[in-house]
Structure formats: structure tokens, C-alpha cells
Amino acid sequence: MSLIARIEQIFTEHGTAASEGARTGSVSALEHALQCAQLAEWANAEPSLVAAALLHDIGHLVALDPDADDTDDVHELRALPLLGAGFGAGVTEPVRLHVQAKRYLVAKDSGYAATLSPASVSSLALQGGPMTHDEMQLFEELPFAQQAISLRRWDDLATQPGKKTAPLEYYLALLEDLQQQPFVDSKIGIGSLSVA
Ligand SMILES: [Fe+2]
């Protein structure tokens, strides 16, 4: 099965689950993913970041797969073996860093913490709490920190019940295009020439 077919299967089989990342749980995982991708697109984000927005919580859904190892609850990391099989760092790094971006934003922006759901506040403690000053400096120097911060803000907004979006097929086509970029080094998963 191709990676895109696998992603479609995961969303089709598990996308109706309540979004664990959503503020109220009132949108499904698929609705949350589509709304997040739409917000990225409306912000004229690079296609790789639109893809990251679509796929940022797929680790939650992989965990629902009976074949998946869900002893580890770190969903942003659980997605990486799947996504790294076909996409470059422009997709995988914002996904990997979007939880750290929450820790960064809570420390950086005093108003941000107030916007988080109770679930997100309690998971923040498990995720390490607000970043220290030194952690913030290190985070800011990471190549995809700004993309992860943008993704995090769209993530927080992608929770509107009933919002109209393009269907999953539209974004699967975008994923296909991203995958068709030549690879420099498929072994380490940093291959897409579209990676900035
Ligand atoms: Fe999310």
C-alpha cells in the first residue's frame, strides 16, 4: 500500500474519533485535520506546511490502529516513522515540534495559556510545562520553529463544529504532489527538494 493510500485509510477508519487536540472535542479528528490544513492554506503557507497541518495529529490515529504500539503516548513522535517514509523535514519537523511550540507559546505569550482548553492545560504539564528562557532560545534556533509555531496556532483554531472545508481527497492530491518531489536522501527522510 502506498503511503498516501495508508494515510487515507487511517483517516477513513479513525477520522470520526473525537479530536484529542480539539478544544472541546466537538469536532472529529478528520474535521480538525481538514480545518487545520485550510487555515494553513488561507495563510499562504508552503505546501509542505499545509501537509504538516493536515497530518500533525495523525499520531493519535495511528495509536488507534490495533497493529500500532501505543505504549508511548507521545503522538507527535509516533507519526514520524509513517511520515518520514515519504515526506521531508518541511512536513515532519513542524509535526514533531508542534507540542514543543505549545510549551514555547505559553512561556512567550501571556495571553496564550488562557486560550487553551482544560485538556490542553493538563497535557501541558505532562509535556514539560512552559519552556524556560534557555529552552525558548534553543527552540527559536531550530530550523522549523516558526513553522511549528504557525502550525500550533492553526491547531488551536481548528475546532469549529460544522465549518466547511475542502474534502480529504483535495489534500491527498497535495500530498501526492509533495511526494513526487525528487529525493536527495530517502534514508534519513530529508529528501523533498521542496523543503525549505
Ligand atoms: Fe491538533
Side-chain angles (χ1 to χ4, degrees):
M1 182 185 289
S2 73
L3 175 59
I4 306 300
R6 176 78 182 114
I7 289 169
E8 181 176 21
Q9 182 187 52
I10 291 168
F11 276 122
T12 302
E13 290 185 0
H14 304 302
T16 54
S19 169
E20 293 187 34
R23 192 167 300 176
T24 62
S26 53
V27 295
S28 72
L30 177 58
E31 289 169 328
H32 177 62
L34 294 172
Q35 288 186 26
C36 200
Q38 182 184 63
L39 289 167
E41 219 176 2
W42 284 354
N44 292 318
E46 292 283 316
S48 56
L49 189 51
V50 175
L54 179 79
L55 300 168
H56 74 279
D57 276 342
I58 203 166
H60 282 310
L61 305 184
V62 171
L64 295 172
D65 188 322
D67 296 332
D69 174 7
D70 63 353
T71 53
D72 163 5
D73 194 36
V74 187
H75 76 281
E76 73 276 18
L77 303 184
R78 195 185 296 121
L80 298 183
L82 176 75
L83 302 182
F87 301 113
V91 176
T92 58
E93 282 297 279
V95 172
R96 184 176 74 86
L97 295 174
H98 82 276
V99 172
Q100 295 306 309
K102 179 171 85 171
R103 295 186 57 223
Y104 174 84
L105 282 168
V106 169
K108 176 87 175 174
D109 177 351
S110 56
Y112 178 76
T115 69
L116 295 175
S117 67
S120 198
V121 170
S122 59
S123 65
L124 174 68
L126 295 172
Q127 290 155 353
M131 282 187 175
T132 64
H133 182 70
D134 287 349
E135 286 174 329
M136 288 172 71
Q137 282 194 318
L138 288 172
F139 182 79
E140 285 170 357
E141 289 168 10
L142 295 175
F144 291 93
Q146 290 309 313
Q147 287 89 337
I149 289 167
S150 295
L151 171 49
R152 184 71 221 184
R153 291 201 182 273
W154 298 321
D155 185 6
D156 293 327
L157 294 171
T159 59
Q160 293 185 33
K163 188 181 183 192
K164 275 203 187 312
T165 63
L168 177 61
E169 291 70 26
Y170 170 80
Y171 291 106
L172 292 177
L174 179 143
L175 298 184
E176 289 275 8
D177 288 345
L178 272 178
Q179 258 211 316
Q180 285 165 7
Q181 305 287 332
F183 272 66
V184 175
D185 186 347
S186 58
K187 253 165 84 181
I188 58 172
I190 303 177
S192 168
L193 292 180
S194 70
V195 170

